[in-house]
């Protein structure tokens, strides 16, 4: 499947809140997933202006190019699987064909040759099932920063929001306006002269 709708809720956490959730929900018993996102954008930030984002994610030895676009129910994600040589070309600003993502980019009026590599964000992730949703704890590192985040993925907005708010209330965590990782990445990116 090359496209999916992602329904998720996010909240930044303090280190103490992160550790409370980690311990109380037994995250120590689930596998640690390390993943790195490599972000791409046009020089004039066309993707960001459209509310979209483009990344290559490395997870173990697999590489997936993903375009995220706004959708009424969450985010529309379009994927292409890449190999190591494809990734090498993308990293030196010579993007190779990725048919599904490329088709979506064309609809946005963006060609591959407009894209440039902007940097990376590494995440140490733990995830587990919780009340018919998936609860994710992330510790992310980018530039000279790190942050802690709770994500809750659900099959519907209604279920997700209900479980998300119950979880925050139970652990006395204030609901915080939380930008997605790519926005936090760009906000932290040092400005070049």
């Amino acid at each position: 499947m090359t496209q999916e709708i992602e329904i998720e809720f996010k909240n930044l956490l303090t280190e103490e809140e992160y550790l409370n959730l980690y311990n109380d929900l037994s995250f120590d018993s689930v596998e640690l997933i390390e993943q790195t996102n490599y972000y791409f954008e046009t020089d004039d930030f066309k993707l960001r202006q459209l509310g979209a984002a483009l990344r290559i994610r490395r997870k173990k030895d697999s590489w997936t190019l993903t375009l995220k676009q706004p959708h009424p129910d969450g985010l529309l994600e379009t994927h292409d699987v890449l190999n190591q040589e494809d990734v090498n070309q993308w990293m030196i600003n010579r993007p190779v064909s990725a048919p599904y993502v490329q088709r979506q980019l064309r609809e946005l009026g963006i060609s591959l040759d407009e894209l440039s590599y902007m940097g990376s964000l590494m995440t140490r992730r733990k995830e587990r099932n919780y009340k018919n949703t998936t609860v994710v704890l992330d510790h992310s590192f980018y530039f000279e920063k790190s942050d802690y985040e709770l994500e809750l993925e659900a099959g519907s907005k209604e279920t997700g929001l209900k479980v998300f708010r119950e979880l925050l209330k139970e652990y006395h965590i204030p609901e915080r306006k939380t930008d997605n990782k790519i926005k936090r990445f760009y906000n932290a990116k040092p400005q070049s002269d």
Side-chain angles (χ1 to χ4, degrees):
M1 181 160 131
T2 60
Q3 286 189 320
E4 62 185 326
I5 305 297
E6 179 183 61
I7 300 170
E8 68 179 13
F9 301 88
K10 301 170 171 288
N11 205 73
L12 284 172
L13 302 172
T14 65
E15 184 176 11
E16 182 181 350
E17 292 164 347
Y18 174 90
L19 292 172
N20 285 341
L21 287 169
Y22 188 97
N23 293 325
D24 285 0
L25 299 178
S26 302
F27 274 95
D28 56 338
S29 66
V30 296
E31 177 188 9
L32 173 68
I33 302 164
E34 286 195 3
Q35 61 190 36
T36 303
N37 293 343
Y38 301 89
Y39 294 117
F40 297 85
E41 179 57 274
T42 66
D43 291 341
D44 55 356
F45 293 96
K46 284 182 188 170
L47 287 168
R48 182 166 57 180
Q49 291 168 24
L50 295 167
L54 183 65
R55 70 162 189 237
I56 293 174
R57 173 172 284 170
R58 180 182 186 175
K59 209 177 202 179
K60 295 188 179 175
D61 290 325
S62 69
W63 302 87
T64 305
L65 177 67
T66 300
L67 176 67
K68 293 188 174 202
Q69 298 172 261
H71 184 277
D73 293 324
L75 290 172
L76 173 65
E77 293 188 343
T78 305
H79 309 286
D80 279 290
V81 175
L82 301 178
N83 62 38
Q84 181 69 59
E85 184 51 40
D86 295 338
V87 172
N88 292 345
Q89 293 302 304
W90 277 82
M91 299 299 279
I92 59 171
N93 296 325
R94 294 184 186 158
V96 296
S97 179
Y100 303 112
V101 168
Q102 201 167 349
R103 182 184 69 228
Q104 293 297 114
L105 286 170
R106 264 196 307 272
E107 288 180 14
L108 296 175
I110 298 171
S111 65
L112 290 185
D113 61 1
E114 292 179 78
L115 298 167
S116 296
Y117 171 60
M118 297 292 186
S120 65
L121 178 147
M122 192 277 282
T123 299
R124 297 171 57 90
R125 169 171 283 190
K126 294 265 192 156
E127 53 187 60
R128 68 175 312 111
N129 293 330
Y130 180 80
K131 296 185 178 179
N132 296 315
T133 68
T134 301
V135 173
V136 179
L137 290 181
D138 283 345
H139 187 190
S140 296
F141 305 86
Y142 47 105
F143 303 112
E144 300 299 318
K145 290 185 62 94
S146 78
D147 64 40
Y148 298 94
E149 179 182 23
L150 164 69
E151 287 187 12
L152 187 134
E153 300 169 1
S156 75
K157 272 184 163 179
E158 296 76 23
T159 299
L161 189 57
K162 180 179 181 292
V163 174
F164 181 69
R165 288 193 169 145
E166 286 172 358
L167 190 61
L168 293 179
K169 185 177 180 183
E170 181 179 346
Y171 286 90
H172 310 287
I173 298 170
E175 193 167 340
R176 299 178 178 106
K177 181 184 180 313
T178 299
D179 291 328
N180 60 24
K181 285 180 181 63
I182 193 163
K183 192 165 187 181
R184 298 196 314 262
F185 167 86
Y186 282 121
N187 287 341
K189 186 173 174 33
Q191 301 300 312
S192 54
D193 298 328

